[in-house]
């Protein structure tokens, strides 16, 4: 029963250069009961990163796991330790640019969700982040772009798609103006996807994700 499900215990992974706008959108949604989740940890790779500063300002617990300090071999273990300590059951990647270690993907299979600022499978893959994505879309000449929220697998941007939202591409667009049009759609799609997960409404068949209809309120059953 959706109503008896506990809130997600969410870790949000942020990037070294991100602003943390997706983190802030997820946090606001939890505060406004649009997202049944508690952000129990914000994970970054560099102390002082803007998104981590934002997390601290929001009063969220923060962990810095820096592969330069742990070494590549120790990185996955350090991450897993931090996630387990905080009781994390779901991970949201919000600007995290590395490929997640496969041991983390296995430990949290179909519990890791990423947002990408294009309509996958277009303009995804290694190195396709931020402005690079929007520049590629403009140079290709697409007339529509958007965002994709998807489950994370062992590769870059290839996991099953949960939600997509489209925006028009205008002739006068620059990477910055297109990014600004996509960003609020990312925030909304990210909240939707995580809320569907929280409600137990996502069914994954191969690489196709079905979103089940919401359960009626208890009073109507
Ligand atoms: C977003 O555009 C997201 O799609 C990408 O990195 C950006 C992070 O932005 N993966 P912010 O730090 O959440 O503002």
């Amino acid at each position: 029963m959706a109503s008896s499900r506990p809130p997600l215990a969410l870790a949000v992974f942020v990037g070294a250069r991100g602003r943390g706008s997706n983190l802030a959108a997820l946090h606001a949604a939890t505060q406004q009961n649009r997202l049944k989740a508690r952000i129990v940890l914000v994970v970054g790779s560099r102390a002082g990163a803007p998104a981590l500063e934002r997390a601290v300002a929001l009063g969220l617990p923060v962990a810095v796991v820096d592969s330069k300090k742990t070494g590549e071999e120790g990185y996955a273990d350090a991450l897993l330790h931090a996630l387990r300590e905080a009781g994390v059951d779901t991970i949201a990647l919000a600007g995290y640019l590395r490929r997640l270690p496969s041991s983390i993907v296995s430990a949290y299979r179909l519990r890791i969700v990423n947002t990408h600022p294009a309509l996958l499978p277009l303009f995804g893959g290694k190195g396709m982040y931020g402005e690079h994505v929007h520049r590629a879309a403009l140079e290709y000449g697409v007339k529509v772009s958007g965002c994709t929220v998807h489950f994370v697998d062992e590769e870059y941007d290839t996991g099953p798609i949960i939600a997509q939202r489209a925006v028009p591409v205008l002739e006068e667009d620059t990477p910055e103006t297109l990014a600004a049009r996509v960003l609020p759609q990312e925030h909304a799609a990210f909240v939707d996807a995580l809320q569907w997960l929280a409600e137990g409404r996502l069914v994954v068949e191969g690489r196709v994700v079905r979103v089940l209809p919401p359960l009626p309120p208890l009073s109507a059953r």
Side-chain angles (χ1 to χ4, degrees), residues 36-96:
K36 196 174 172 191
R38 286 181 304 117
I39 299 177
V40 296
L41 192 62
V42 179
V43 180
S45 53
R46 301 281 179 273
L52 282 184
E53 300 281 315
R54 197 154 183 178
V56 171
L58 291 169
L60 297 169
V62 161
V64 176
V65 184
D66 183 347
S67 61
K68 289 207 177 103
K69 299 218 170 95
T70 60
E72 282 305 318
E73 327 73 50
Y75 180 66
D77 286 347
L79 273 184
L80 210 47
H81 179 73
L83 295 172
R84 297 244 155 98
E85 283 265 290
V88 169
D89 61 32
T90 307
I91 299 172
L93 304 185
Y96 180 77

